Amino acid sequence: MDVLQKAFELISKYPLCDHCLGRQFALLGYSMENNVRGSAIKIILTMQANDLAKEKNVEGVNQLKVLATNGFSREAQETLKHLKNRLPKTPDPKCYLCEGKFELVDSLTEKSLAVVQGYEYTTFLVGIEVPVQVEEREDEFKSVFNTGYGESIKHEFGRLFGKALAKRSGKEAEYLTPDLVVVINPFEEKLHLQVNPLFVAGRYRKLVRTIPQSKWFCSSCRGRGCEKCGGTGKMYPESVEELTSGPLLEATLGEKTAFHAAGREDIDARMLGTGRPFVLEVSRPVKRFVDLKAIEAKINAEAVGKVEVSHLRFTTRDVVRHLKKGEGSQKEYRLLAEFENELSDVALQTIENQFSGASVKQQTPLRVLHRRADLIRERYIYKVKVRKVSPKRALMEIHCQGGLYVKELVSGDEGRTIPNVSDLLGNKAKTLKLDVLKVIMD
Ligand SMILES: [Zn+2]
Ligand SMILES: [Zn+2]
């Protein structure tokens, strides 16, 4: 392809600014912007035309006129004047493809800086929106004049704004997980800011048997507030979610938080040991460079005796996905079981022998059937230790695969958990107290 000839063919048909002409050859030559490509082409074409026009060649003069009008070339305009030719009249021409919007890159960059002002961030991404008719026009243009070396107008705008914003803000453009996304529509001269969430991971211990993990809406009013819930909209005044998220929300000035955890304990079970992994997701945080040690201390001071957090650290959305899947997790429980009849030493030994290294088939427990699908799951038990604490009571320590419902392992849940402690001993058992001692993620 003769680049000059092709380029001249394009601007003979349509007015094209340096950016839009150069963009049709974007893949040719490295380390230069499209406007430099476009300008270089126009200058060479002007020199060629000047050479011809000196001999009063009509083609040469025409070429200068096209460059001076459709090419917006100041050099061609000056050359025409110098050759004593009249400048052709043009009724306020605009670039056919960009409508002159590349001239707004600097001013819209300043506007973008104003929009992100006040937000703490390390990385950003620029998103470009263009009206449908602009994209259609470019597609049509390409279908007629395809050079095979072009890039899209969106792509060019994105790169230019990205570079300009990086330079002005001193921050880094990042594609996968930017803190902020500035969406710019250069044609409507509009922009808006998308603030991506902040993720903070940690572990919590729950020291009491009266607090649910997450905020639990009132079953009568579903959160609106009624007589039954005293206008709070909640079944319980506090939750692990609320106790941990308050100080974080305060420090980040976010809109709201979402609580993600690796499984959940029952409301009446404590969560002890090293705690359960969780992630707090803060929507639209203004501050990101927060002192997690100080937030941890504040949470622990406010929730003292109820909930304790540790190991707070910044994390990513991927970790939330991993937590929620809970694959490969293991749990250690301690529970106090009460039996209908007295326990023999042989019975204790039988429990340890039969359940250590056993697989349990468990149909979704009756008590959670209203919110979980009715399925049979198979879960592995690594080890069970039993100690009698009174004639009818025993403490059991169970180390098992995550997802096993241990209360049902004891009761049998009307035959829905097989095998189970009650059937094995022929002695009906129930759980009086339950603690989670350990949550192990792989
Ligand atoms: Zn243009
Ligand atoms: Zn209510």
Side-chain angles (χ1 to χ4, degrees):
M1 178 184 59
D2 183 331
V3 171
L4 290 177
Q5 197 184 346
K6 184 79 182 177
F8 189 68
E9 186 193 332
L10 301 185
I11 56 169
S12 301
K13 302 270 172 34
Y14 293 107
L16 294 173
C17 71
D18 292 354
H19 285 277
C20 292
L21 180 63
R23 189 169 63 254
Q24 312 312 318
F25 307 95
L27 300 181
L28 296 176
Y30 284 85
S31 189
M32 57 182 134
E33 251 316 327
N34 289 336
N35 58 322
V36 173
R37 290 186 176 89
S39 163
I41 287 169
K42 289 174 188 176
I43 285 172
I44 298 288
L45 286 172
T46 300
M47 289 162 70
Q48 264 185 355
N50 190 356
D51 184 35
L52 291 170
K54 267 206 254 175
E55 320 289 323
K56 302 281 175 224
N57 175 303
V58 182
E59 240 178 83
V61 174
N62 277 344
Q63 184 162 322
L64 281 171
K65 285 181 178 172
V66 167
L67 287 159
T69 53
N70 273 4
F72 314 105
S73 165
R74 194 183 49 79
E75 292 83 359
Q77 291 161 7
E78 293 297 322
T79 307
L80 274 175
K81 258 197 246 167
H82 193 76
L83 294 173
K84 309 270 185 283
N85 274 284
R86 275 202 309 141
L87 288 184
K89 272 208 186 103
T90 45
D92 184 28
K94 270 197 217 137
C95 174
Y96 175 68
L97 292 176
C98 76
E99 302 169 11
K101 299 300 182 189
F102 279 101
E103 286 165 28
L104 300 178
V105 169
D106 285 345
S107 64
L108 285 176
T109 300
E110 292 308 311
K111 271 195 191 174
S112 306
L113 283 167
V115 166
V116 301
Q117 174 109 60
Y119 286 93
E120 287 182 349
Y121 65 105
T122 309
T123 57
F124 72 90
L125 179 67
V126 172
I128 299 294
E129 278 174 356
V130 304
V132 180
Q133 67 267 26
V134 171
E135 258 176 306
E136 283 176 355
R137 190 167 58 204
E138 189 176 57
D139 287 347
E140 217 180 287
F141 182 88
K142 271 194 189 151
S143 72
V144 182
F145 299 110
N146 193 8
T147 62
Y149 292 109
E151 72 172 333
S152 75
I153 194 167
K154 263 181 149 174
H155 200 264
E156 179 172 356
F157 269 122
R159 188 179 57 248
L160 291 179
F161 279 116
K163 276 188 187 172
L165 207 53
K167 198 173 167 197
R168 290 285 283 108
S169 64
K171 310 282 182 178
E172 222 174 296
E174 133 93 56
Y175 294 89
L176 293 177
T177 54
D179 292 338
L180 301 180
V181 181
V182 187
V183 182
I184 304 175
N185 184 329
F187 288 83
E188 285 162 9
E189 298 175 35
K190 277 186 192 154
L191 43 93
H192 69 264
L193 183 63
Q194 180 191 316
V195 181
N196 284 338
L198 178 70
F199 297 93
V200 174
R203 284 177 167 258
Y204 77 81
R205 290 165 27 99
K206 196 182 86 180
L207 311 171
V208 289
R209 299 188 192 280
T210 48
I211 297 179
Q213 185 190 64
S214 47
K215 194 171 157 179
W216 197 328
F217 287 112
C218 168
S219 56
S220 303
C221 66
R222 297 187 184 282
R224 284 191 310 276
C226 65
E227 234 170 79
K228 192 186 159 199
C229 59
T232 61
K234 296 187 288 186
M235 297 286 275
Y236 299 89
E238 294 179 313
S239 60
V240 176
E241 175 180 8
E242 288 159 288
L243 289 169
T244 53
S245 61
L248 182 62
L249 201 55
E250 216 172 83
T252 54
L253 302 174
E255 246 171 40
K256 58 177 190 230
T257 56
F259 189 85
H260 311 286
R264 64 166 67 213
E265 63 284 337
D266 293 330
I267 181 167
D268 58 358
R270 292 185 298 180
M271 177 65 237
L272 304 175
T274 49
R276 186 186 295 276
F278 71 95
V279 172
L280 276 170
E281 174 179 356
V282 183
S283 306
R284 294 189 69 89
V286 177
K287 307 280 177 204
R288 280 173 201 269
F289 309 146
V290 293
D291 181 353
L292 292 182
K293 274 272 160 278
I295 291 169
E296 190 171 304
K298 188 152 192 222
I299 293 170
N300 289 337
E302 286 180 10
V304 69
K306 295 181 272 191
V307 170
E308 238 175 65
V309 296
S310 63
H311 302 92
L312 289 193
R313 64 187 190 280
F314 297 110
T315 187
T316 61
R317 189 184 292 281
D318 289 342
V319 172
V320 176
R321 275 186 215 115
H322 184 73
L323 270 192
K324 288 197 149 174
K325 272 198 208 153
E327 277 164 3
S329 75
Q330 293 176 26
K331 305 275 163 71
E332 270 181 45
Y333 295 96
R334 180 176 58 205
L335 64 83
L336 178 63
E338 186 176 57
F339 293 78
E340 241 172 33
N341 303 306
E342 287 192 9
L343 283 162
S344 66
D345 291 342
V346 178
L348 299 184
Q349 198 58 53
T350 307
I351 295 173
E352 288 188 355
N353 291 345
Q354 294 297 310
F355 286 105
S356 296
S359 267
V360 176
K361 281 202 174 67
Q362 194 159 53
Q363 197 171 350
T364 305
L366 292 167
R367 69 187 164 93
V368 298
L369 207 47
H370 63 283
R371 57 185 168 91
R372 293 276 160 85
D374 194 8
L375 304 169
I376 295 177
R377 298 175 189 81
E378 198 163 342
R379 291 289 184 266
Y380 188 74
I381 300 178
Y382 299 93
K383 196 166 179 63
V384 176
K385 280 199 282 186
V386 194
R387 183 159 60 89
K388 194 154 76 170
V389 293
S390 72
K392 290 183 181 178
R393 287 183 177 187
L395 265 181
M396 297 176 62
E397 279 186 21
I398 303 165
H399 174 192
C400 60
Q401 218 182 335
L404 179 78
Y405 294 97
V406 288
K407 283 179 182 171
E408 282 68 23
L409 179 72
V410 171
S411 71
D413 199 26
E414 299 177 17
R416 294 167 74 88
T417 292
I418 296 171
N420 64 70
V421 174
S422 295
D423 286 352
L424 180 74
L425 301 184
N427 186 356
K428 249 181 140 355
K430 66 177 180 191
T431 301
L432 293 182
K433 280 182 180 173
L434 176 65
D435 293 329
V436 187
L437 299 182
K438 213 180 238 180
V439 177
I440 306 158
M441 303 294 291
D442 66 336

